[in-house]
Amino acid sequence: MILDNWQQRFEQWMQQHHASDDAAHDISHFRRVWATARQLAQGSEADQQVILTACYFHDIVSLAKNHPQRHLSSRMAAEKTLTILRDDFPDFPAQAYPAVAHAIEAHSFSAGIPAESLEAKIVQDADRLEALGAIGLARVFAVAGALNVALFDSDDPFADRRALDDKRYALDHFQSKLLRLPHTMQTEKGRALAEHNARYLVDFMAKIAAELKGEPMRLDEAVIRRFYP
């Protein structure tokens, strides 16, 4: 019940102070990351209050994918979170500040900060799982639309003859980042879920390949073998 109370308070704060038009980093995202993190933490000795707090505030600062300081977002988010906790949640245990800050800093793929604590590993895995599967697929194209990025290169959709460039083509993001995520997972549960959901993305790519060949009723087996040999 204590965790539920903190979650309610964090959500109330978000509704009052963090209205966002960013569909990839809204309050629904925070809820899903927490729900996943809670599953990953089940049966462990991880501090769930630290995990909950990091899940709700990890994207309190989230610079756009094409922002030159994107890699600093998580550090900025950690600093802002501690300010929020001090100012608006004075009963939050101060001894947990360093653990919360580290979990937030380390969650980011672009920051490249190693997750040292169990809590940070769980938050990192939970956030990265959001980028895979059906929700991850939807997020890729939501972000692409917001940034006016093309869906794919119609002449070379899978970058067979060019360098990957996910700043120009949304589909390139699958290879440049998303399909690499399962290998970065820090927990056994997270790795299993990531492998499962990454396969969904590969099937989507195989469906695109088949449709581009005028074969909408099947998946392109060559694409599946390429990414799951």
Side-chain angles (χ1 to χ4, degrees), residues 23 60 65 71 79 108 126 137 151 162 187:
I60 197 68
K65 298 284 186 184
H71 62 291
E79 292 175 4
S108 169
L137 176 63
L151 299 182
R162 60 176 176 82
T187 67

Side-chain angles (χ1 to χ4, degrees), residues 36 40 121-122 125-126 129 132 181-182 185-196:
T36 300
L40 298 180
K121 291 176 181 180
I122 288 170
D125 278 11
L129 282 166
L132 297 169
L181 291 181
M185 291 291 156
Q186 304 280 344
T187 67
E188 185 176 346
K189 291 179 185 177
R191 194 172 303 112
L193 288 169
E195 289 285 356
H196 176 80

Side-chain angles (χ1 to χ4, degrees), residues 158 160 175 179 199 201-210 213 218-229:
F158 301 110
D160 294 314
Q175 293 186 68
L179 296 181
R199 180 58 188 260
L201 298 184
V202 171
D203 286 348
F204 177 79
M205 295 167 71
K207 185 70 167 65
I208 286 180
K213 293 177 181 178
R218 71 179 191 89
L219 302 181
D220 190 312
E221 292 295 330
V223 171
I224 294 175
R225 288 195 300 271
R226 173 176 173 177
F227 296 103
Y228 277 92

Side-chain angles (χ1 to χ4, degrees), residues 47 70 169:
D47 186 328
R70 168 73 178 178
Y169 305 111

Side-chain angles (χ1 to χ4, degrees), residues 12 25 36 57 71 102 119 122 126 180 191 211:
Q12 289 171 359
H25 301 100
T36 300
F57 289 96
H71 62 291
H102 175 61
E119 292 80 12
I122 288 170
R180 295 163 54 194
R191 194 172 303 112
E211 290 185 9

Side-chain angles (χ1 to χ4, degrees), residues 94-112:
Q95 65 268 24
Y97 286 178
V100 170
H102 175 61
I104 292 174
E105 289 174 347
H107 90 272
S108 169
F109 184 88
S110 58

